[in-house]
Amino acid sequence: MTYIQNGDYLIPELKLTEQPPKPLGKYGRMRKTYLKEHRPILYNQLLMTEKLYPHLQEIDETANRRLEQMMPKLAEAAGATEQLKARDPMKWVGLMNTYKAQAEEILLAELINS
């Protein structure tokens, strides 16, 4: 480890390795914000060990997969079918928005804010 002279003190020169260029998605960014605001010690630990970005990527990918799995089940359970979509598109869109909001609330509780 290299040190930098700062007055009378030697301070470790901390450098993070280059992270992959893939940007974080919505859920990864939400998890990062949650960690920064509510779990700062865990956030700093993940950051310093260079495990933060892989953790956020994993959360983002998991949340997107879960959302893709939950949406058809929620829509089927409530009767938002292709027939409804053809007959009354506005009602279908309203139902789908409601189901997406429900699924996102579940994801927030289980993955993002835990």
Side-chain angles (χ1 to χ4, degrees), residues 20-102:
K22 184 178 178 188
L24 287 175
K26 173 183 177 180
Y27 301 108
R29 292 190 311 270
M30 290 170 74
R31 175 69 174 169
K32 182 179 179 183
T33 301
Y34 171 78
L35 290 173
K36 264 185 170 177
E37 293 176 3
H38 301 284
R39 307 280 304 274
I41 294 172
L42 177 59
Y43 174 81
N44 286 325
Q45 181 183 19
L46 289 170
L47 181 65
M48 298 305 283
T49 59
E50 298 185 359
K51 294 179 183 175
L52 179 63
Y53 189 81
H55 171 74
L56 297 175
Q57 280 293 107
E58 181 182 348
I59 291 290
D60 189 60
E61 291 167 6
T62 302
N64 283 317
R65 273 195 316 271
R66 297 263 319 266
L67 185 63
E68 287 176 13
Q69 291 172 352
M70 292 169 73
M71 285 299 293
K73 292 178 184 175
L74 288 171
E76 182 183 329
T81 61
E82 290 297 317
Q83 291 83 15
L84 178 63
K85 184 177 179 180
R87 188 177 66 244
D88 191 355
M90 292 304 289
K91 183 176 181 180
W92 182 84
V93 168
L95 288 172
M96 294 307 287
N97 286 340
T98 301
Y99 304 140
K100 185 171 183 181
Q102 288 176 356

